[in-house]
Amino acid sequence: MTTPPVDVPAAAAALRGGAAEARAGGTDVMARLREGLAAPPFTDLHRVIGLRGVQWLPDGSARIGAMTTVAEVAADERLRAAYPALAATAAAVATPQIRAVATVGGNLLQRNRCPYFRSAAFDCLQKGGDTCPSRTGDHLHGTVVDQGAACVAPHPSSLAMALLAYDAGVEVEGAAALPVDGLYDGSDSTRDHVLEPGRLVTGVALPAPTGGESAAYRRATSRSRGEWPLVEAVARVVRSGGAVTAAAVAAGAVARTPLRLTAVEEALIGATGPEDAAAAVAGVPDLCSPLPQTGYKAALLRDTVRDALERALA
Amino acid sequence: MDTTVNGTTAHLGPDPETTAAEFVRDGLGLTGTKTACNAGVCGSCTLLVDGTPAASCLLPATALEGRTVTTVEGLAARGPHPVQRAFAAHDAMQCGYCTPGFVVEAAAFVDRHRAAHGDTEPAREEIADAMAGHLCRCGAYPGIYAAIAAACAGKHDRDGDAAPPRAEAAEKAAGRARYTTDIRPEGCWEAVIVRSTRAHAVVAAVDAGGAPHVDLLGADRTVRYVGQPVLAVAAPTPAKARAAAAQVAVDYRDLPAALDPATAHRPDAPVVYPARAERRAAPAHAEGGVPPARWRGNVRGPFSLNWRGATAVDRIRKAARTGDPLLVTGVFSTSVQAHTPLEPHACVARWDDSGHLHIHASTQTVMALAAAAADRWGLPREHVHVTAEHVGGGFGAKAGLRVENVAAVELARITGAPVRLVFDRAAELTDAGHRPGARIEVGLLAGADGGLAALTMDAYSDGGASIGGTVAIMGRLVYGHAPRRLRDFDVVTHRPPGAPFRGPNGAQLLWALEQSVDEAAHRLGEDPIALRRRWDGNPKRRALYDWAAALPVWRERSTGAASGRFRRGVGVAAANWIYLLDSSTAVDLVVEDGAVVAETAVQDIGTGARSVVAEVVRGELGLPAGRVRVRAGSSDLAYAPSSNGSRTTASVGPAARDAAEKLREEARRRRAGGSGGLDAAALAALEGVRVRGGRRRDRRGYATPFPLPDGGALGRGFTGAVHVMEVEVDTLLGRVRPTRCWAGIAAGRMYADRPARNQCEGGVVQGIGYALYEQRRDDPHTGAVLTSDLEEYRIPGIGDTPEITVHFHEEGWDHVPGGGVGIGEVSTIGVAAAVGNAVYDATGWRPHDLPIRPDRLLEGIGAK
Ligand SMILES: Cc1cc2nc3c(=O)[nH]c(=O)nc-3n(C[C@H](O)[C@H](O)[C@H](O)COP(=O)(O)OP(=O)(O)OC[C@H]3O[C@@H](n4cnc5c(N)ncnc54)[C@H](O)[C@@H]3O)c2cc1C
Ligand code: FES
Ligand code: FES
C-alpha cells in the first residue's frame, strides 16, 4: 500500500493513467465496492489539505475546493449569504452523517442510484451490457426528460444542479476549466460523467453574486427527510425596480443530467411576485416525454419549480 | 497508521476495503456500534470523528488516520452522557438496536445545542433535522424526541432517583447490550448463503469448490424465487467466506416463471406447485396452521366464512341493480411490506465436546427453536441451549427453526468450529418474510335503518410462493352479525414467501374495511365514530369510541373538502384482535445475594418482556428496583412462550405474579418480612430459596378447549383499538404529513405503562410506514427484489412521526389473571386506514392503493 498523497501534484500524479479510482469521502465508492462496482486500488484524497475549503477572490467570486464537505458548504456563513440556494441544496443532501464526509468533488462525480445499476443481479448499459433493464422493467424513479440516452437513470447530483443554476465552472488539474454542464452528456448511456479517467477535479468556481438576487431550493419527497428527491429544483431571480430582469432555473432527478430550464427563465422576465410563477412554469410538462411509470414527474417537475419560484419571488 | 479510539491509540491496518465500522466492531471488539443497512441510510453505525457524527459503514478505515474517534462506549468514559441517561429515563428505545447510533448523534447535538443556546429545549423540527440520518424500525421516536429535548434542557446531568421504565435501558443506551450479531467466539467461522439467481429452475448440480458447505434445497431440487437459499458455505473469515460463496457454481435448468400476481391465475401461466405433494409442502405466511382449500393452478381457495352468505350476496346484488346509494363498493390493494428489523436474522452455532448444541440466535422463539433443533438433530431437548439475550426486533419474521439456524448448525458440525451467519440487508429485504400484499373487493350495504345490511369481501393474497391468506374471513369477527360472505384466495407466484407480520392479515383487512365503513358513514351523512359505535357491539371499543368522539381534534374538525395547497384532515379507524396466551408459561424466582432474580426463557424483542416481569415482581413484593433482576432469553430457563401473537405479556405477567405470591408465602412460612414488602432482612432470610410460578387458568376457560399447534390457547374476549389521525396534505407536491395521532387501546391493565405506551407509539409509526411509504418492488422480468436496501425500501423516520397520545382503556379483562393482555398487534393494524380516511377528509379523494405515494396522491386528486 502506498501512502496517500498530501498535495495536488502528488494526487494528480497518483491518479494519472486512470489505474486507481480517486476516493474522497468514499460514500459512493464504498457503496459500489460492496456491489462489485468498484475495486482497489484507490487513491485517497483525504490528506490533500489544499483541496479543502472556500477561497474568496477580490471580485467577490468564490472557489470551493473539491474536498470541501457538503456539510461545510451548507454551514459556511459567507456561502449562505452569497449563494443561498447552493447552501440550501447542500443542507438537503442525504443525512447529516453523510454530509459530514461527502465532498463536493465526489458529489459531482458520483454514480447513479438506479437499483438495476447498483445490483449485481443485473447487467445494464452502464456496466457494459446492451440494454437498459430499467426501461423495460421498473423505473418509478426514472427520467422524464429525454436527452437521447437509452439509460433511464436520472443524474443523482443535487450540487451539480445548484451549481448549474449559479453558472459555476469545474476546475480540473492540468486541463482547462469547464462549465458544470460540460461534465455531463445526457445522450451517453454508459457513464454518469465524462471526466477523462485519471483526472483530478480540484474545485468549483462560482461567479460573484449579483445584487438584488433572491433564490430558493425545493425537493419533492415522500418522507420528510433523508430521502432522495423525486424531483428537485433551484430558482434564482434578479429583480430591479420590482420586476425580474434575469433568472436561472435548474432541475434535478428528471433527466440524465441536471437541467437548465431556459424557457422558464425567459418567461420569468418581467415577473413581479409569486403569483407570476404558475404562468412561467405552465409549459414545463411539454419538455417531458415520460416513461410508462414516470408520467407523474411531468406535473411534479412543473410544480416543484413553481414552488421554488414562489419562494424566490416572495 | 494510528488513530485514537475512546482515548486509546489503535493501529489501523492498510486494507483499503475495510470500513471504519468493521475496524471498531471486528478489529477492536467495540460492538456497541451496529451496522444495520451498510448503506449510509440508518445511522446505526454512527461514530464521532473529531467530534462530528459520521456514518462509519461507508467510511474507509484508512480515513481515520490521525483522527480522534469516539464510539458509544467512549461517550460514557466519565459516567453516562446526559443523553444516555435521558434515553433510559424516557424509554427512547424498544429493541435497542438503533439506540447506540441515536445516542452518539444525539450526544453531539445536545452538546452543540447547549453550547449555543444554553439549557433550553430545541424545537421538534430541530431534533428531526439533527436525527434525519437515523432509522428506528420499532418506532421509538416519541421517546427519542422527549429524551433529546430533556437532555438539552439540562434535566439529565445527574442520575435520577427513579429507575428507568425499561429493565435493560441503561445497557442499551451504553452500547453494552449484546445481540447475536455481536457474538463472535474464539475461532469462529463465518457462513454465507448462496442464493438462487433464478425465479424458477431445477438445480441440476452444485459445485462448492471444496469449501465446507451445506445443501439447503428441498428434495425436488427446485428453486421458486430469486433469493432462495441454495447452499451455505463457511470459511475462517468473512472475506474468505464471501470469496468461497462467489466460487460456488450452480447449474440451473431454467423453467418458466409466474411473476405477476395479476396474471398468475391465467390458464397459460406457469404453475408454482403443480403436484399435490408440492402444494402440501408450500410454505405458509400465517401463524398456527393454514385452513384447507382447493387449488386451481396458482389460485388457492376460496376459503370462506359466511353468515347467511346467500342473503348477503342477494342484498348486495339487488342494491347494485337498483343503484342504491347506500351500497359501498371498492377494490382496495395493499403492498408487500418487509419486516426489516434493524438487527438482521443471525445465528451463531457451536457443538461442544459432550455433544451439546449451543445456538445464539436473533429469534422471537427461543423455546420453539430449541425444541425444533432437538428434533432435527436427534438430541435430547436439554442438550440444546438457545440464547437470545437481546433481539433487535422481529415483528413476526424471526420464528422457529429458520434457514440461518440450519446452515450455521450444520456448518458448525462439519467444520468443528463455531459458525456465525448474519443476513445482509438485501437478504433481509428479500428472503426474511414479508406481509403479503392483497387485493380486496368489498361490497358493503347500509340499510335504510342505518344498520349494516350486508357485507361481501373477496381477498386475493399475494404472498409470493407462500399461502395462508385469511384477510376477508377475519371480517367475521367485527360489526355484529349482519349477513356476510367472506372469501379468501391465495395467488401464488415465483416470488419470495411471506411470514407472519404483526397482526397478520389484519392490516390488509382493515385498510379495505375501515375505509368502506367510513364511506358508508358519509353516504348516511353520519359521524364516522357514531356509526361505528352503533355497528360495533364490543363494549370495550364502545368506551374507546366515546373517548375518541370527545377529543377536541374530532369535535372541532371541519367537514367538507378544504381548499388551498395544504389541507388538513382527520380520520378514524377501529381495530379488533384476538387474545392469545400460553398456559404452560413459568417464571422462577430465586433469592441471590440479597436480590430477587426472576428467571424465564422469554426473549425480549423490544416489547418489554423483561420489564413486565421486573415490574410485577417488584410491585408484588414491594421491592426497590435495584433488588430485582431478570435473567431471560435462554432455553435453559423456565418455559415461556414465543414473542408473537401478542401472547407474551398475558402469559408471563401472571406467571411472574404467581411466583411472587409463592415467594411471599415462603417468607410468611419463615416469618421473614412483615405485611409490607420484603426488606433486606427478609431477603437475607430467604437467600437461596427458589420458587416457580405458573400461568393460572382464566376464569371461564378458553375459546379453544385444546392447545393450538404452537402450544398456545385462544382466550376469551377481543382487544380493541381506535385510532384518530390528523394529517396535512400538500396538494402541490403530493406529500401526506401525519401531524397528530390519538391511539385508544383496550387490552386491559398495563403491566409496565411506559414500555406499553412505547409499543403503541411504535405501532402508529409502523402503520404510517405501511400507509405512506413501504412497498417492496420487484423486477417484472426476473422477479428479483429491487427494494433491497433501506434507501429503496422506505421506512418512516423521526420527522415522519406525528405527536402521539396513547390512551388505555383498562377495564373488561377481569377473567384474565393480572387483568391485562397483549397490545402488539391491535395497536398497529388499523393505523393505515385512519390515514386513508384522513386523506379523504382533507382532499375528498379516497386512496384505494397502498402506499399513498406522492404520484398516486397527485393523480388521485388531479382526476377529481
Ligand atoms: C442515504 C443517502 C442519501 C443521499 N442523498 C443524496 C441527495 O439527495 N443528493 C445528492 O446529491 N447526493 C445524495 N447522496 C449521495 C452523496 O451525496 C454522495 O455519495 C457523496 O456526495 C459522494 O461524495 P464522496 O466524497 O463521498 O465521493 P466518493 O465516494 O469518494 O467519490 C465518488 C466518485 O467521485 C470521484 N471523485 C471524488 N472526488 C474526486 C476528485 N476530486 N477528482 C476526481 N474524481 C473524484 C471518485 O473517484 C468516485 O468515482 C446520498 C447518499 C446517501 C447514502
Ligand atoms: S449501517 Fe451505516 S448508516 Fe446504516
Ligand atoms: S429500538 Fe430502534 S430499531 Fe428497535
Side-chain angles (χ1 to χ4, degrees), chain A residues 1-4 23-35 38-42 44 46-47 52 71 91 94-101 112-116 118-122 133-141 218-231 293 295-297 299-308 310-311, chain B residues 1 14-19 22 38-44 46 52-55 57-65 67 105 124-126 128-135 145 226 565-566 730-737 772-773 775 777-782 784-800 853-856 858:
Chain A
M1 137 120 199
T2 49
T3 46
R23 189 161 65 175
T27 57
D28 176 40
V29 170
M30 296 300 277
R32 281 189 280 115
L33 176 72
R34 261 197 201 103
E35 295 295 346
F42 301 118
D44 281 324
H46 63 269
R47 294 180 62 183
R52 251 191 130 119
T95 70
Q97 308 101 281
I98 294 292
R99 294 195 292 271
V101 290
N112 74 75
R113 311 300 290 201
C114 173
Y116 290 91
R118 296 265 160 180
S119 158
F122 296 94
S134 176
R135 180 176 280 274
T136 50
D138 182 288
H139 48 255
L140 187 61
H141 300 137
R218 300 299 293 159
R219 65 163 57 188
T221 54
S222 61
R223 289 174 299 176
S224 72
R225 290 166 177 82
E227 182 173 298
W228 287 87
L230 300 166
V231 172
Q293 294 168 356
Y296 73 97
K297 279 197 176 182
L300 194 57
L301 172 58
R302 176 193 64 206
D303 294 333
T304 308
V305 174
R306 173 178 163 183
D307 194 13
E310 284 178 350
R311 280 158 205 262
Chain B
M1 279 201 304
D15 179 11
E17 302 194 29
T18 304
T19 63
E22 287 161 349
N38 265 314
V41 188
C42 75
S44 63
T46 303
T52 301
C57 64
L58 295 180
L59 188 66
T62 49
L64 298 178
E65 187 187 0
R67 318 286 291 269
E105 183 93 42
R124 231 175 123 83
E125 291 288 295
E126 285 175 70
D129 283 342
M131 297 295 132
H134 293 267
L135 295 172
Y145 272 122
V226 175
R565 172 174 169 185
F566 294 99
D730 177 353
T731 58
L732 190 70
L733 301 187
R735 191 163 82 199
V736 177
R737 190 167 70 89
L772 299 177
Y773 320 122
Q775 177 180 31
R777 300 197 326 271
D778 359 280
D779 176 46
H781 301 300
T782 62
V785 170
L786 297 172
T787 46
S788 62
D789 58 36
L790 285 180
E791 186 174 303
E792 291 287 336
Y793 190 83
R794 298 166 170 191
I795 64 174
I798 189 166
D800 307 310
R853 299 187 315 237
D855 58 309
R856 289 175 168 168
L858 292 171

Side-chain angles (χ1 to χ4, degrees), chain B residues 27 33 49 61 101 136 169 211 228 239 260 301 348 358 467 473 528 553 598 619 641 644 656 687 733 745 758 763 863:
Chain B
T33 303
V49 180
C136 172
Q228 181 173 337
D260 180 4
V348 182
H358 302 262
I467 57 172
I473 62 162
V553 68
N644 55 23
E687 184 70 26
L733 301 187
I745 310 289
N758 194 338

Side-chain angles (χ1 to χ4, degrees), chain B residues 421-503:
Chain B
L421 197 160
V422 178
F423 275 25
D424 62 17
R425 193 51 48 179
E428 198 60 40
L429 286 164
T430 302
D431 192 31
H434 56 77
R435 188 193 296 286
R439 202 184 103 89
I440 306 158
E441 302 169 359
V442 182
L444 184 151
L445 180 67
D449 61 351
L452 175 59
L455 173 66
T456 59
M457 272 195 286
D458 283 349
Y460 297 85
S461 286
D462 166 24
S466 66
I467 57 172
T470 55
V471 173
I473 62 162
M474 300 228 309
R476 179 67 186 85
L477 303 175
V478 291
Y479 295 123
H481 299 287
R484 58 194 73 192
R485 187 191 67 184
L486 309 167
R487 302 193 298 187
D488 269 291
F489 301 85
D490 289 307
V491 182
V492 294
T493 51
H494 290 103
R495 285 149 67 242
F501 189 160
R502 202 168 176 183

Side-chain angles (χ1 to χ4, degrees), chain B residues 93-99 102 135-140 342 392-393:
Chain B
M93 67 191 74
Q94 289 177 35
C95 78
Y97 206 72
C98 69
T99 309
F102 269 99
L135 295 172
C136 172
R137 185 47 160 166
C138 300
L342 280 203

Side-chain angles (χ1 to χ4, degrees), chain B residues 532-743:
Chain B
R532 286 180 173 81
R533 201 184 182 291
R534 281 197 303 107
W535 286 10
D536 186 349
N538 183 298
K540 291 176 291 235
R541 217 158 23 239
R542 284 191 163 179
L544 292 180
Y545 292 131
D546 293 342
W547 159 81
L551 291 171
V553 68
W554 188 259
R555 279 187 311 167
E556 290 156 18
R557 78 194 193 285
S558 56
T559 45
S563 59
R565 172 174 169 185
F566 294 99
R567 296 182 201 165
R568 185 176 161 278
V570 184
V572 67
N576 182 67
W577 200 248
I578 50 177
Y579 145 50
L580 292 175
L581 73 150
D582 191 324
S583 53
S584 317
T585 307
V587 171
D588 289 343
L589 294 183
V590 46
V591 183
E592 245 178 53
D593 301 327
V596 178
V597 179
E599 294 181 339
T600 163
V602 76
Q603 55 288 314
D604 194 335
I605 61 170
T607 56
R610 264 192 197 83
S611 313
V612 165
V613 173
E615 269 303 290
V616 169
V617 172
R618 208 187 49 70
E620 291 291 323
L621 300 179
L623 293 165
R627 296 269 177 206
V628 179
R629 288 202 304 275
V630 182
R631 212 170 274 149
S634 159
S635 67
D636 296 341
L637 301 173
Y639 177 88
S642 308
S643 295
N644 55 23
S646 299
R647 78 188 80 198
T648 323
T649 302
S651 308
V652 174
R657 194 168 71 150
D658 187 48
E661 278 166 13
K662 291 196 169 121
L663 190 64
R664 224 179 17 228
E665 261 166 49
E666 187 60 29
R668 261 196 302 276
R669 229 173 43 77
R670 298 183 183 212
R671 298 203 161 70
S675 54
L678 300 181
D679 56 15
L683 288 173
L686 289 167
E687 184 70 26
V689 167
R690 175 179 280 273
V691 297
R692 169 163 291 194
R695 172 44 165 101
R696 293 214 189 112
R697 257 180 97 71
D698 287 6
R699 213 154 20 89
R700 299 189 286 134
Y702 305 120
T704 42
F706 307 106
L708 299 172
D710 59 3
L714 181 61
R716 291 187 188 277
F718 293 97
T719 59
V722 173
H723 284 96
V724 177
M725 181 73 71
E726 179 193 62
V727 302
E728 181 196 80
V729 180
D730 177 353
T731 58
L732 190 70
L733 301 187
R735 191 163 82 199
V736 177
R737 190 167 70 89
T739 45
R740 293 185 292 172
C741 179
W742 286 261

